[in-house]
Amino acid sequence: MIDVLPNIEVSTNDNPQVAIIWMHGLGADGNDFVPFVKELNLSGLPGIRFIFPHANTMPVTINGGYVMRSWYDIAHTDLGRQEDEKGLRASQAQVEALIAREKSRGIPASRIILGGFSQGCAMTLQTGLRHQEKLAGLLCLSGYVPMADKVAAERSPANQDTPIFLVHGRLDPVIPIARATASRDLLKSLGYQVEWHDYYMQHSVCPEEVNDISGWLHKILK
């Protein structure tokens, strides 16, 4: 039994029918994206419970072994080199535990969205592509597909038609846009439904992106 990660919850009404599990990036915590709930246009949508988990702390190699919240270790600026498979799979199990808790609270997998920024985006794809029940959608901001060479063999048929929202900054110095477009192309080659946007920004979020997220939520939750 895996303990559920500590997290922050924000619900848009007293009877949420949808859950969005939203994962932060390296060195941040669940507080990072809480303010975005108020920026999203959620009018006309069913009640949503946003869950913002805090990743565990660990030494991060690329940052000199400094201990910070991280979903997995990063050893190189070349993110596809020497990936922390053990860490990715351990965090995947923790995300699965969050999904299981939402199901136990009455929200079916088909009304659960996984989302995240940077490392949180990687965890969204790591978990969502392998999850054994159909999810409502994967919300992927400024990240990439981790363990890309294993996706074809490990993916679950349950989420073959699950909508994927994948966006990136054209000026991103942390995760170059080429890594994101390669992830997009991989997903499309495997037959996934990918809505792609890129923006004139760095490793961040911009107002146009917030509007596009709102539009995507309205499409998949109608």
Side-chain angles (χ1 to χ4, degrees), residues 115-127:
F117 175 81
S118 195
Q119 264 200 345
C121 168
M123 287 314 309
T124 294
L125 291 161
Q126 172 72 18
T127 308

Side-chain angles (χ1 to χ4, degrees), residues 34-211:
V34 172
F36 279 80
V37 175
K38 292 183 178 178
E39 295 186 28
L40 294 169
N41 172 17
L42 304 174
S43 61
L45 293 179
I48 301 173
R49 179 189 295 131
F50 288 86
I51 300 100
F52 299 98
H54 308 301
N56 290 325
T57 58
M58 65 175 69
V60 176
T61 302
I62 200 171
N63 288 337
Y66 189 81
V67 175
M68 60 183 65
R69 292 198 184 276
S70 184
W71 296 99
Y72 51 90
D73 190 26
I74 298 175
H76 299 280
T77 52
D78 178 358
L79 296 168
R81 183 179 167 198
Q82 199 177 329
E83 288 187 282
D84 178 17
E85 180 173 342
K86 182 179 178 181
L88 280 157
R89 294 196 190 278
S91 287
Q92 178 186 342
Q94 291 176 324
V95 179
E96 291 282 3
L98 288 162
I99 295 171
R101 187 186 65 162
E102 291 314 298
K103 289 169 57 183
S104 74
R105 295 202 285 181
I107 297 180
S110 61
R111 300 297 273 173
I112 296 174
I113 294 170
L114 295 184
F117 175 81
S118 195
Q119 264 200 345
C121 168
M123 287 314 309
T124 294
L125 291 161
Q126 172 72 18
T127 308
L129 298 178
R130 294 166 173 81
H131 189 67
Q132 295 299 306
E133 290 183 278
K134 182 171 175 58
L135 298 164
L138 305 179
L139 178 62
C140 308
L141 314 180
S142 297
Y144 60 96
V145 176
M147 291 168 49
D149 58 334
K150 293 182 168 62
V151 170
E154 296 182 358
R155 61 190 177 137
S156 167
N159 284 295
Q160 181 64 55
D161 297 325
T162 296
I164 299 174
F165 181 84
L166 184 63
V167 300
H168 214 86
R170 294 192 289 274
L171 307 178
D172 193 328
V174 177
I175 301 174
I177 191 169
R179 184 70 196 270
T181 55
S183 293
R184 175 200 64 195
D185 294 346
L186 170 65
L187 293 169
K188 287 188 171 183
S189 75
L190 294 172
Y192 289 100
Q193 302 174 33
V194 181
E195 179 175 328
W196 165 265
H197 299 271
D198 55 75
Y199 309 100
Y200 189 77
M201 66 176 187
Q202 297 190 7
H203 198 60
S204 58
V205 179
C206 66
E208 184 183 357
E209 179 179 359
V210 174
N211 289 336

